[in-house]
Amino acid sequence: MLHLNTHQLQIGDTVHLFGMRIHLTREPIITQRERTVYVWIGDVLNPHEVIAADLVPKGFLGEDVWVEGRGWVWKQTNRWEVQGNDLALWAVERPIEAETN
């Protein structure tokens, strides 16, 4: 297990947060404030475990979508945003081939 700052994360990393294993799938959204802030979007690899253990509210792992004839319906997406700056430290699994690059 690696411990990395937000700016050291890479696509393909799996971040551990609130009992979730979040596999980063997209380049970060980067915003400049007092410090540079990174927002990584990933897929929760263990959503059923997280929901069963009530580690985060179920509603945080989905979104409301409009379904014709039914109205607004909650849809589970299993997406999570890992947000932080250079001070945030994350427990990370990284594929072995990515560690050597």
Side-chain angles (χ1 to χ4, degrees):
M1 184 83 54
L2 301 170
H3 291 90
L4 302 172
N5 292 96
T6 314
H7 68 278
Q8 296 173 305
L9 297 175
Q10 300 175 6
I11 291 177
D13 286 350
T14 299
V15 177
H16 290 245
L17 177 64
F18 302 127
M20 294 180 283
R21 294 180 62 241
I22 306 158
H23 183 74
L24 303 181
T25 56
R26 300 181 194 149
E27 291 291 335
I29 299 165
I30 301 172
T31 306
Q32 189 62 48
R33 298 198 178 142
E34 288 182 32
R35 295 184 112 72
T36 303
V37 177
Y38 301 82
V39 179
W40 289 87
I41 297 173
D43 298 318
V44 178
L45 300 177
N46 59 335
H48 302 295
E49 175 185 318
V50 170
I51 291 168
D54 203 25
L55 298 173
V56 299
K58 179 181 177 180
F60 286 10
L61 295 177
E63 63 188 3
D64 290 318
V65 295
W66 179 260
V67 176
E68 197 61 44
R70 293 180 56 202
W72 288 102
V73 177
W74 185 82
K75 176 184 174 191
Q76 189 167 329
T77 61
N78 301 327
R79 265 184 264 129
W80 194 268
E81 293 180 357
V82 176
Q83 303 178 42
N85 58 29
D86 61 319
L87 300 176
L89 192 63
W90 308 98
V92 177
E93 297 172 45
R94 178 168 283 169
I96 293 171
E97 63 275 3
E99 288 182 35
T100 59
N101 294 335

